[in-house]
Amino acid sequence: CSCWLSFFKQINNSIMLGALTSLGRSAAFSTGRSAFVANGARVNAVRSIGSTMVMNAEEGQAEVVLVGCGAPNRGMGWYHAVQMIDKKCPSASLDYVIEPWFMGAGGEGPGGADFKVWQGEAEGAGVKFATSLADLPEPSAPRLALISGRTADNPRLLTESIANGCSCIYLEKPGAPTVAELEAMATEAEA
């Protein structure tokens, strides 16, 4: 199974990661208001979105916010989005994509046109796009932030994700510029 997440179980106010089946090694921390997952998987994929419709999170699904999609056919965030849209992760519903670069200054540069085409396909499948986590409504289901941003931005993106209702964090490698920052992020998620 290429699914990075097989199910969630809600315990008190935190979301416990029930099972993680990635194509590489991962670590999960979940003792406070957020679960923290650092991914060690590396996957390459070249595909397009199929015709599968994505609905808002249903019973038993986490509402997923992809933070930092990246370029179609190149970004790890994009690959995870395709997995969720293709329903390879039945416990996850890709409801939002936060992509400030390609929806802002990078939209006219290399990869911008490809991103706009993919954005149109994803919106047709029910995914909503924004440039900031602060633009999101309150969660209607357990909300997971899948952070796949620039390494230097990830500590800030983790803080913003928690502040905007994400009770579980899935962080792509390497996660942070230094081990000290990564440890501080784990401590913040556990608080």
Side-chain angles (χ1 to χ4, degrees):
C1 175
S2 64
C3 187
W4 51 266
L5 179 67
S6 59
F7 68 90
F8 283 95
K9 183 167 40 174
Q10 186 163 2
I11 299 176
N12 297 329
N13 291 328
S14 66
I15 302 300
M16 296 294 289
L17 202 50
L20 186 66
T21 56
S22 181
L23 298 175
R25 65 179 186 273
S26 297
F29 308 93
S30 177
T31 58
R33 63 184 169 171
S34 296
F36 182 82
V37 180
N39 179 17
R42 180 171 177 84
V43 179
N44 294 314
V46 177
R47 345 186 3 192
S48 179
I49 295 176
S51 60
T52 305
M53 285 297 291
V54 173
M55 303 306 204
N56 290 333
E58 297 172 0
E59 184 69 32
Q61 286 187 314
E63 178 184 279
V64 178
V65 178
L66 175 60
V67 184
C69 180
N73 292 315
R74 290 179 281 178
M76 185 53 101
W78 172 85
Y79 178 73
H80 288 305
V82 169
Q83 286 179 317
M84 287 180 278
I85 289 171
D86 285 349
K87 304 232 183 265
K88 305 256 181 179
C89 302
S91 62
S93 170
L94 180 60
D95 291 350
Y96 303 99
V97 172
I98 306 301
E99 180 50 61
W101 176 248
F102 285 119
M103 292 177 65
E108 301 305 317
D114 291 339
F115 182 83
K116 287 176 185 164
V117 168
W118 180 78
Q119 179 182 356
E121 293 174 0
E123 287 174 334
V127 180
K128 296 162 205 74
F129 284 73
T131 58
S132 169
L133 285 152
D135 296 337
L136 300 181
E138 291 294 316
S140 59
R143 182 177 280 173
L144 177 141
L146 193 164
I147 301 175
S148 187
R150 293 180 340 123
T151 302
D153 294 337
N154 289 344
R156 174 183 54 80
L157 295 173
L158 173 92
T159 299
E160 291 176 13
S161 295
I162 293 170
N164 287 285
C166 296
S167 54
C168 186
I169 307 294
Y170 185 92
L171 179 63
E172 270 298 340
K173 70 174 187 171
T178 67
V179 172
E181 286 173 288
L182 195 56
E183 290 172 341
M185 292 166 71
T187 299
E188 179 181 0
E190 292 172 352

